[in-house]
Amino acid sequence: MVVEIYFIVICLLTLSLAFLLTKFLSKSKIKNVPKGSMGYPLIGETYGFLKALRQDKGSEWLEERVAKYGPVFKTSILGSPTVFIIGQQGNKFVLGSSHDVLSSKKPPTLQRIFGKQSLLELTGSRFKLVKGEMLKFLKPECLQNYVEKMDELVKTVLLRELKENKTIEVVRLMKKLTYDMACNILFDIDEQTREVLYEDFILAFKAIHSLPINFPGTSLWKGLKARERIVDKILPIMNKRREELSKGVLSSTNDMISCLLAIRDENNQPLDEEMIVGTFIFIFVAGHDTSATLMTLMIWKLSRDQEVYNNVLEEQMEIIKQREGNEDRLTWGEIQNMKYTWRVAQELMRMIPPLFGAFRKTIEDTNYEGYDIPKGWQVYWASCGTHMNKDIFENPEKFDPSRFENRTKSIPPFSYIPFGAGLHYCIGNEFARVQTLTTIHNFVKTYEWSQMNLEETITRRPMPYPSLGLPIKIKPRCNMS
């Protein structure tokens, strides 16, 4: 009986949305909307798009439509009419446009998980205010102070997880490691609370790219329930830190929650509680998972490419060799000397970018390359449109870290965009770099490993991960000299 009711509701919603969309398009004064298919009512082409991403065939999904409709085409994704804009100029238009042309407002699923007032949704002066304050925690001067703490945390987690020779899943390990780093270094969340919240953050992240259907058992429903539990846990922490800030026990530089609580706008008013909670969830969910993706793919690549592995190992061992005495603590200067290791990471992010692309939303009716894009429609950019373009990167299918070393042909702006670009450049890119290099340094110098399934493919859910979780056989390195 319950299933029948759900089916009837879905049918009614589908018919209603189809009627409203048809009515809107027929009355619209917009004359030259891009060509394309809107797919099925309600779900549009969401299922096909997400299926292609899960199979790591997102670029093929795009190429089919670009071949049929051109580099600008329309569809419907995650419950909203969407225009895909592919290529360097498209990236520049989407990522470089001001907030009064394209806002950061996201599809309904992302809004419901992150909240309507998270950093992801802010515009104008409010966006600049919050982003500016948060950058104080992520600029190089501050990151230098995090290196020692990160190094110790990585060693502790690896020692705890890898006590004996055994098999581990790298995806699970890296997600837990980056989560612990965010809790410990950025938010000062105690160990008991972080353990309780961990699974809920995983569920929330899975929900942001799910179908916009909120029925018991669906990914969105599970994600929203997880969000409720996260909010229930974080509100008491916020209240306590707000009180400690007022008493002078804490300062705004203690952690990011305290930073957000201490912000005052132009009218000397604090941020809304919903905005602080939403920004906390956004940074936690998005930040720790993107770093975990890159760190996992580094281990995956080193497992499969002996030449790259040897070069990384040589660089990391040379860093250890240059240390004075018995010092075993990583330094900021050593991080800067990991040039080849980071070029490997850069090339991985070119070929398998953490973000396949992202959404913006039109504030008013707008125009691009002669096409009209109605107010309220989503606009989507895709990194593969430039990352795998042979006119920008020579032999784009070849893995070549040297393309990021002393480039004779500079990469055009808005072409290499693993961290976004323009107004929307990721504020955590340097934090992710230090996280990744610290982890790979400790992993390579301490352990030897082999991938258990060389046929393991990459899947996106929505970040790119080895489909089986990357199980490896691992043991302590025999010779540390």
Side-chain angles (χ1 to χ4, degrees):
M1 183 65 182
V2 173
V3 174
E4 292 176 357
I5 293 173
Y6 286 164
F7 179 74
I8 293 170
V9 171
I10 290 175
C11 289
L12 289 174
L13 286 172
T14 300
L15 292 172
S16 299
L17 188 65
F19 172 76
L20 291 172
L21 186 59
T22 303
K23 188 174 180 181
F24 168 75
L25 290 175
S26 65
K27 288 189 174 183
S28 175
K29 296 180 181 179
I30 304 298
K31 296 180 180 179
N32 193 28
V33 173
K35 297 177 182 177
S37 169
M38 302 302 282
Y40 296 104
L42 185 62
I43 64 173
E45 292 193 299
T46 301
Y47 177 75
F49 180 57
L50 295 181
K51 181 181 178 182
L53 292 184
R54 285 195 295 272
Q55 297 174 348
D56 197 30
K57 294 181 178 180
S59 58
E60 295 176 22
W61 186 93
L62 281 180
E63 286 166 6
E64 289 176 7
R65 284 152 184 78
V66 169
K68 191 172 184 179
Y69 306 117
V72 183
F73 63 89
K74 74 171 185 283
T75 182
S76 177
I77 300 289
L78 297 175
S80 296
T82 305
V83 172
F84 276 72
I85 299 179
I86 309 303
Q88 181 198 356
Q89 290 306 312
N91 293 343
K92 183 177 180 180
F93 170 73
V94 179
L95 295 170
S97 291
S98 62
H99 288 295
D100 57 357
V101 176
L102 295 176
S103 81
S104 297
K105 293 196 176 297
K106 302 302 178 187
T109 49
L110 276 77
Q111 276 192 359
R112 296 188 71 176
I113 296 298
F114 291 143
K116 294 183 178 180
Q117 294 193 59
S118 73
L119 179 66
L120 203 61
E121 301 286 328
L122 299 182
T123 59
S125 60
R126 184 59 63 91
F127 173 78
K128 291 178 181 177
L129 172 66
V130 177
K131 182 178 179 180
E133 290 298 315
M134 294 177 62
L135 274 171
K136 293 178 181 178
F137 283 85
L138 301 167
K139 58 187 179 181
E141 304 91 278
C142 291
L143 291 176
Q144 294 184 46
N145 300 324
Y146 300 154
V147 172
E148 184 177 339
K149 197 172 184 180
M150 271 190 193
D151 188 38
E152 287 302 318
L153 185 60
V154 171
K155 289 174 182 174
T156 299
V157 172
L158 292 181
L159 187 63
R160 183 183 69 217
E161 298 288 329
L162 308 172
K163 293 181 200 174
E164 316 168 344
N165 300 353
K166 59 178 180 178
T167 300
I168 62 161
E169 282 194 8
V170 177
V171 172
R172 185 195 64 79
L173 173 65
M174 294 307 178
K175 284 192 174 189
K176 190 65 171 63
L177 179 57
T178 54
Y179 176 78
D180 284 348
M181 281 193 194
C183 283
N184 192 302
I185 295 171
L186 295 180
F187 294 101
D188 194 22
I189 303 293
D190 66 79
E191 188 170 353
Q192 182 178 356
T193 303
R194 76 177 74 156
E195 291 301 320
V196 171
L197 289 176
Y198 180 66
E199 292 300 328
D200 283 332
F201 273 113
I202 298 295
L203 289 172
F205 189 77
K206 287 180 180 178
I208 63 175
H209 276 68
S210 63
L211 291 171
I213 301 173
N214 183 22
F215 291 137
T218 63
S219 291
L220 180 57
W221 181 83
K222 292 177 183 177
L224 290 173
K225 291 296 182 185
R227 187 188 196 278
E228 290 177 8
R229 292 190 293 271
I230 292 169
V231 173
D232 286 342
K233 287 291 182 183
I234 196 61
L235 285 179
I237 294 173
M238 285 172 53
N239 291 334
K240 182 179 179 182
R241 292 193 188 170
R242 187 182 287 113
E243 182 181 348
E244 290 174 335
L245 283 167
S246 66
K247 292 179 178 178
V249 178
L250 275 184
S251 74
S252 61
T253 59
N254 185 75
D255 60 88
M256 276 199 174
I257 296 176
S258 299
C259 170
L260 292 169
L261 289 167
I263 292 175
R264 295 295 181 269
D265 63 17
E266 62 276 8
N267 299 316
N268 199 35
Q269 295 300 308
L271 300 180
D272 294 339
E273 191 168 85
E274 183 181 346
M275 185 184 301
I276 296 173
V277 170
T279 298
F280 168 80
I281 294 174
F282 162 63
I283 294 172
F284 232 121
V285 172
H288 100 271
D289 213 80
T290 48
S291 294
T293 297
L294 178 56
M295 287 150 57
T296 297
L297 291 177
M298 286 286 284
I299 299 300
W300 174 79
K301 181 62 179 175
L302 295 178
S303 304
R304 302 162 70 90
D305 192 319
Q306 191 65 44
E307 181 181 356
V308 172
Y309 171 80
N310 289 340
N311 290 337
V312 168
L313 178 62
E314 181 181 356
E315 181 173 78
Q316 298 304 325
M317 290 308 185
E318 182 61 28
I319 285 171
I320 295 171
K321 193 183 298 182
Q322 295 299 322
R323 289 175 181 165
E324 297 182 2
N326 296 319
E327 186 64 47
D328 190 33
R329 284 186 291 183
L330 195 61
T331 68
W332 176 253
E334 290 173 345
I335 291 286
Q336 306 317 304
N337 286 332
M338 298 179 188
K339 299 184 186 303
Y340 178 81
T341 306
W342 185 241
R343 289 198 296 271
V344 171
Q346 288 177 295
E347 180 70 341
L348 269 172
M349 289 188 289
R350 182 188 67 82
M351 299 188 74
I352 313 174
L355 278 181
F356 184 79
F359 295 96
R360 299 288 180 265
K361 183 169 285 189
T362 54
I363 299 298
E364 300 291 344
D365 294 343
T366 190
N367 181 279
Y368 173 75
E369 293 289 311
Y371 290 106
D372 297 314
I373 306 176
K375 174 183 177 181
W377 279 37
Q378 293 179 154
V379 179
Y380 190 96
W381 60 269
S383 52
C384 63
T386 51
H387 284 199
M388 302 305 291
N389 186 324
K390 67 180 186 305
D391 295 326
I392 299 173
F393 295 100
E394 187 178 352
N395 297 323
E397 300 294 336
K398 179 183 178 183
F399 188 88
D400 182 12
S402 69
R403 69 175 82 244
F404 293 96
E405 176 188 13
N406 300 324
R407 299 187 299 270
T408 55
K409 179 184 177 182
S410 62
I411 299 173
F414 294 95
S415 295
Y416 180 67
I417 48 175
F419 295 108
L423 290 170
H424 304 285
Y425 193 70
C426 175
I427 64 175
N429 67 303
E430 275 297 297
F431 187 82
R433 183 177 75 91
V434 176
Q435 266 189 319
T436 299
L437 293 176
T438 301
T439 301
I440 296 303
H441 171 76
N442 280 286
F443 209 92
V444 167
K445 78 167 188 176
T446 312
Y447 300 100
E448 296 176 334
W449 72 92
S450 60
Q451 185 177 354
M452 295 185 65
N453 187 344
L454 292 176
E455 303 302 315
E456 187 173 7
T457 58
I458 301 298
T459 182
R460 283 185 179 270
R461 296 178 181 267
M463 296 292 177
Y465 282 110
S467 57
L468 301 177
L470 191 57
I472 60 173
K473 289 182 179 179
I474 190 166
K475 64 180 181 179
R477 183 172 295 283
C478 297
N479 184 7
M480 288 290 296
S481 60

